[in-house]
Amino acid sequence: MPLHLISRRPSPTTASFTVSNASRHASTAAKLFFYFQLLLRGIVFAGVLFLHAARYRHLFFFEDGSFVPWTAVWSSSLGSFVCRVADNYNFFIAFASALVVYGVFRKGYTEESLLVIRGLGIQTSTSSPTYLSTAATRFIPTTEIQDIVIHEAFKGFEVRFYLAVVVVGEPEVVVVFPKLLPNRAKLEEVWRGSRHCLYDSKP
């Protein structure tokens, strides 16, 4: 997916830059497809929950529940089929269920951001691959920032540029947008904006 950069300047002393490969859902068809995916994920996840409810249907409230007529549910054609599958529960079904749950909660995109606050420091953030975990963040105080630079490196036979923060006392630099590695034009925009926000008080 193509990367897009979103730059915001909520105040003269604050700037944020977000790089993402998520779809923007600009067209009506893209929006409909996105909502269809959400609906499909919900149905699949409900199916996994229904399978595990059938596995433990003889426990808890799955036989004589006051809100759901579980006896009628288990005796239906779909319920009988799910019960047969649940009664033959094995490693492969458990593994398939785990894969399905992971697929349901997997984001399918990556979002990385850089927040710059003059006088305080910068914070880098990389989104988690699933909705079940939080993003990985790091805050670097201004007193520990030696410089913000654009480096180049070889990735296979390709030259890739990356934005890095040189931290005082650390042998390695902190790479900004380490997973997405946007192109040089986007990096230069972030580099100019972040240095202006940190060091330049002039408009």
Side-chain angles (χ1 to χ4, degrees), residues 154-172:
F154 286 98
K155 186 177 181 180
F157 295 99
E158 184 182 4
V159 178
R160 300 297 298 269
F161 295 90
Y162 62 94
L163 185 68
V165 181
V166 182
V167 182
V168 177
E170 294 191 11
E172 297 183 356

Side-chain angles (χ1 to χ4, degrees), residues 1-201:
M1 296 182 184
L3 301 180
H4 52 270
L5 171 65
I6 301 175
S7 303
R8 298 186 180 92
R9 198 70 185 265
S11 71
T13 59
T14 306
S16 68
F17 308 93
T18 303
V19 177
S20 174
N21 59 1
S23 176
R24 294 189 175 186
H25 311 300
S27 63
T28 304
K31 292 180 180 179
L32 291 177
F33 182 70
F34 172 73
Y35 290 123
F36 173 75
Q37 281 185 321
L38 290 181
L39 177 63
L40 185 62
R41 290 189 182 203
I43 294 174
V44 171
F45 183 66
V48 174
L49 292 180
F50 188 55
L51 172 64
H52 286 77
R55 186 188 180 195
Y56 299 102
R57 64 187 181 276
H58 301 298
L59 304 174
F60 308 112
F61 57 87
F62 293 120
E63 283 189 344
D64 300 315
S66 57
F67 298 103
V68 180
W70 291 107
T71 303
V73 172
W74 303 134
S75 61
S76 64
S77 56
L78 177 61
S80 300
F81 172 75
V82 174
C83 288
R84 288 194 299 270
V85 175
D87 291 337
N88 296 316
Y89 197 88
N90 52 35
F91 170 77
F92 297 103
I93 297 178
F95 182 71
S97 299
L99 286 180
V100 169
V101 171
Y102 175 78
V104 167
F105 289 99
R106 183 176 178 272
K107 289 183 177 180
Y109 66 90
T110 302
E111 188 174 275
E112 296 181 301
S113 62
L114 174 67
L115 176 64
V116 184
I117 305 176
R118 184 184 302 165
L120 290 179
I122 63 176
Q123 177 177 284
T124 62
S125 175
T126 300
S127 64
S128 62
T130 67
Y131 293 102
L132 300 177
S133 55
T134 58
T137 60
R138 179 180 177 180
F139 180 78
I140 305 174
T142 304
T143 54
E144 298 181 7
I145 300 175
Q146 184 173 341
D147 203 356
I148 302 176
V149 296
I150 296 179
H151 279 305
E152 62 179 13
F154 286 98
K155 186 177 181 180
F157 295 99
E158 184 182 4
V159 178
R160 300 297 298 269
F161 295 90
Y162 62 94
L163 185 68
V165 181
V166 182
V167 182
V168 177
E170 294 191 11
E172 297 183 356
V173 298
V174 176
V175 180
V176 185
F177 316 129
K179 291 188 176 181
L180 295 178
L181 294 176
N183 58 36
R184 182 174 177 176
K186 291 184 175 62
L187 292 179
E188 288 179 352
E189 180 180 346
V190 176
W191 176 77
R192 286 192 296 266
S194 58
R195 287 184 62 88
H196 172 76
C197 184
L198 276 178
Y199 305 121
D200 191 2
S201 60

